[in-house]
Every structure is written in structure tokens, then in C-alpha cells.
Amino acid sequence: MKAVGSYKALAANETDAFIDQEIDTPVATGRNILVAVKAVSVNPVDTKVRKRPHPDETWRVLGWDASGVVTAVGDDVSGFSVGDEVYYAGCITKPGSNSEYQLVDERIAAKKPSSLGFAESAALPLTTITAWEGLFDRLGVSKTGQDAGKTILMIGAAGGVGSIAIQLAKKLANLTIIATASRPESSDWCKARGADHVINHYEDISAQLEAIGCANVDYVFCLTNIAGYWKTITDVIKPMGKICTIVDFFEDSNLDLLKLKSATFVFEFMFSRSMHQTSDMGEVGKLLADTAGLIDNGDLITTVSNIVSPINADNMRAVHTAIEEGNAIGKSVLEGWS
Ligand SMILES: NC(=O)c1ccc[n+]([C@@H]2O[C@H](COP(=O)([O-])OP(=O)(O)OC[C@H]3O[C@@H](n4cnc5c(N)ncnc54)[C@H](OP(=O)(O)O)[C@@H]3O)[C@@H](O)[C@H]2O)c1
């Protein structure tokens, strides 16, 4: 089968950062389904893993967002059949989706939204799992409206995660959403997805919150540079408020700043369930199935903003380069094999 991978950790624009290569097609066993990959999305995690050294220059396939068609199932698979159209993020400890066929555990996959094509579906899984778990499991926001009207500050909201987090926080929870974006086009994107207010993360966040009448917020969902925003976040969070981030601190930050407000801080890592094979890892497949239903009902829309074809080394280099610039709006997807 065709695959796009590499033997070395290189800058995205270097020729060997991605190579088109023929490799063996894997065989479905146990609870794995074998998927003929039709489209893949690229996330910042791909760029981070790309830069990690390869022990002994081993071949590595990146990609943790895909849609495709089931072509074989392992003996223990009960939820899928050959021919099902699926979408999934997969597991960070397993070979990625940038290959013509990929094995994925059935518990972390779901049937794709029937109203969307493969490219529009591939944009969604990784960021949706992150946003759903961050909002509903880590921050504990009610999915059935019990927290309606509470305020959430989403920092870095026009990117892949924010693009679906805004929609989930509005459609399922009816929160009042204050998104941050720094450009007219990223600001408009957030508003179009349901943000009630958009403020600029490069200006004084506290002053802007005060100006819109939300000096303090119930929740903060920080999607970028948590260390840089930590002091502001601890200033604006309400007593007993909750803060979730999906990114590393990279430097010491003072957790004591939360004590006088009895505020909660929590990390979200969307691969935790799959990499630790937790007993509840099937919740990942369920939330993707629920999301597909919400999309088919018209409650949520895809977050795709850019589709390139085919899936090959040249296009992968270009998309990685663009993502590393840090100003993505929505999601970039690669579709089809040449
Ligand atoms: N823990 C997890 O499970 C998990 C899951 C997914 C992603 N992540 C991580 O979360 C981060 C965000 O992911 P993503 O897919 O949403 O990224 P993305 O799509 O690349 O995000 C791009 C957006 O980030 C905003 N941005 C860039 N620098 C910023 C800054 N200094 N302050 C505020 N906003 C800034 C930009 O907004 P403007 O152009 O408007 O400035 C841009 O729209 C990445 O580091 C990713 O690796 C973690």
C-alpha cells in the first residue's frame, strides 16, 4: 500500500521530511478494523511528533485524523462491518493514518456523518474528542443545558479545537462564549461558529472582558500558550471556577494562584484513553457517534477550511509548514491517493 512517512526528524520543508513509499498492508486481528483511508487531517500534534528523533532511523507514519471505508474486521469486532464508512483519530502509540490502509481499534472509531463527504469528516475526530472531553468530562459542563448562560473564555478559539469547541459549548451547553482571536478573519470565523463575543488575545484580556460585562468567567478553556496566559486566567476565573488546558506549560507556573478562589485546574489529553487502554475507551467511539448524529441533524458543521489532493509527500510538507505558522483557521485536510 502507499504511505507517506519518514526515516528522520526533519523540518517540514526538507525533501526527506516526507517520502512516498510502498509498505505492507496490515492485517486486521482482535478488535481492530482495517480501514481504506480516503482523507486525513493534519493537527499540530503531527508537527510535534515529526520533530521527535527516530530511534535507528526507523520508518514512521504520522497522522491522527482520518475517514475511510472498513475493508476487513478482526475476529472480536462487533460494531462494524466491511463497507462501513468511518471516522476516527486513532492512537498516538500506533502507526498513523497517512497510509492507504490503517488498523484502528473499533472502540475509538465511529460511523462518519452520512451528510458529510470523507474530507469534511476527516477534519473532525481529533479536535472533537479534545473539545468534547475538555468541556464535558474535564470542566464538567452539562451537555443538557444545566449550565446554560454560564460564561466560558476560550483562548485561541479559531484553530482546529476551538472551531468545534465553540459549537459544542453553544449547541449542547448554551454557554455564553467569549472566544479569543487576533485577526478579522479568525474573529469572524469564531462568531460564525457561535461565539457570543470575540476579544483579542494580544491585547489586555481582563480589560476587554470587563468592557463586555464579563469581568470574571465560570470556565476557561485554554487552547494555546497556557503559561503565557496563566496570570490572566487566574485573575479572571470566578471563585470555584474551572480551568482546562490542552497544552503543556513548558515552564514553572504558580498553581498557588488558584488557592484563594478554590479554582480547579485540569489537563485534557485526547489520547489518554487509547494510549492507556482504559476500560472506558469506548466512550471515544460513542462521542464520535453522537457528534455524527449532531452533524446529520444540522446542529454542528464541519470545521474544514482547506482541502488539498492527493495525499502525498509534497502536500504533506506544505500543510505541515502552514500549520507550524500557528495561524490556522479551522482544519486542513488531504484527500485521495494518486
Ligand atoms: N491535549 C490534547 O489532547 C490536544 C488536542 C488537540 C490539540 N492540542 C494542542 O492544542 C494546541 C491547539 O491546537 P489546534 O489544533 O486548535 O491548533 P491550530 O489550529 O494550529 O490553532 C491555530 C489558532 O491558534 C491561534 N493562536 C496562535 N498563537 C496564539 C497565541 N499566542 N495566543 C492565542 N491564540 C493563538 C491563532 O489565532 P489568531 O490567528 O486569531 O491569532 C490560530 O487561529 C496545539 O498546541 C495542539 O498540539 C492538544
Side-chain angles (χ1 to χ4, degrees):
M1 66 173 179
K2 291 176 183 153
V4 180
S6 183
Y7 293 99
K8 292 178 186 165
L10 294 169
N13 61 1
E14 292 203 49
T15 311
D16 288 348
F18 292 104
I19 299 167
D20 296 307
Q21 188 153 308
E22 287 287 329
I23 61 171
D24 292 340
T25 303
V27 175
T29 57
R31 296 200 72 172
N32 285 327
I33 55 177
L34 182 66
V35 179
V37 173
K38 302 293 183 191
V40 297
S41 168
V42 181
N43 289 279
V45 68
D46 296 60
T47 68
K48 294 171 187 174
V49 178
R50 193 197 75 238
K51 292 175 198 157
R52 285 186 199 150
H54 293 226
D56 302 323
E57 300 202 349
T58 44
W59 172 252
R60 181 193 286 159
V61 174
L62 307 176
W64 290 280
D65 244 351
S67 63
V69 180
V70 176
T71 59
V73 297
D75 288 342
D76 302 326
V77 168
S78 57
F80 296 93
S81 309
V82 171
D84 286 344
E85 297 184 348
V86 294
Y87 74 147
Y88 56 90
C91 178
I92 192 77
T93 59
K94 303 271 167 58
S97 38
N98 298 339
S99 57
E100 261 184 304
Y101 294 88
Q102 185 187 13
L103 291 176
V104 62
D105 189 302
E106 64 164 335
R107 288 167 288 186
I108 56 173
K111 290 181 186 156
K112 78 169 186 54
S114 54
S115 56
L116 294 183
F118 286 108
E120 293 78 10
S121 300
L124 287 162
L126 186 145
T127 49
T128 300
I129 298 164
T130 310
W132 185 292
E133 291 182 346
L135 291 169
F136 305 130
D137 298 343
R138 309 289 164 257
L139 290 173
V141 173
S142 164
K143 288 193 283 285
T144 50
Q146 317 302 311
D147 295 311
K150 288 188 179 173
T151 45
I152 186 164
L153 172 65
M154 282 190 201
I155 301 178
V161 179
S163 298
I164 188 69
I166 292 172
Q167 297 186 62
L168 291 170
K170 183 50 75 184
K171 289 288 181 176
L172 274 68
N174 200 15
L175 298 183
T176 297
I177 302 164
I178 305 115
T180 82
S182 71
R183 296 169 290 151
E185 56 271 40
S186 50
S187 173
D188 289 347
W189 177 272
C190 293
K191 284 182 199 146
R193 264 131 207 93
D196 296 281
H197 308 275
V198 182
I199 62 175
N200 189 330
H201 36 247
Y202 296 134
E203 294 172 9
D204 186 332
I205 289 179
S206 300
Q208 293 174 86
L209 286 175
E210 218 166 320
I212 58 172
C214 296
N216 297 102
V217 293
D218 297 287
Y219 307 102
V220 176
F221 197 19
C222 183
L223 309 177
T224 186
N225 189 18
I226 179 74
Y229 294 110
W230 184 240
K231 177 67 172 63
T232 302
I233 289 169
T234 58
D235 284 344
V236 303
I237 193 73
K238 281 185 185 174
M240 272 69 80
K242 295 182 179 168
I243 302 158
C244 177
T245 192
I246 61 172
V247 293
D248 297 333
F249 274 94
F250 294 117
E251 59 189 69
D252 288 344
S253 289
N254 188 357
L255 272 180
D256 289 349
L257 295 174
L258 301 179
K259 185 184 171 204
L260 297 186
K261 289 183 176 173
S262 300
T264 300
F265 171 75
V266 63
F267 278 113
E268 157 60 18
F269 183 52
M270 54 73 58
F271 290 119
S272 294
R273 280 173 161 147
S274 53
M275 81 185 286
H276 299 291
Q277 296 275 298
T278 61
S279 57
D280 70 347
M281 67 187 270
E283 294 301 314
V284 173
K286 281 189 199 149
L287 77 84
L288 289 176
D290 287 350
T291 300
L294 288 162
I295 287 186
D296 289 338
N297 284 342
D299 291 323
L300 304 174
I301 57 171
T302 179
T303 54
V304 75
S305 56
N306 176 38
I307 301 173
V308 292
S309 186
I311 305 168
N312 66 17
D314 285 345
N315 285 332
M316 201 60 74
R317 271 191 290 275
V319 173
H320 270 240
T321 303
I323 285 180
E324 282 176 324
E325 286 168 9
N327 53 14
I329 294 177
K331 297 289 311 160
S332 279
V333 168
L334 290 82
E335 183 176 30
W337 298 88
S338 53

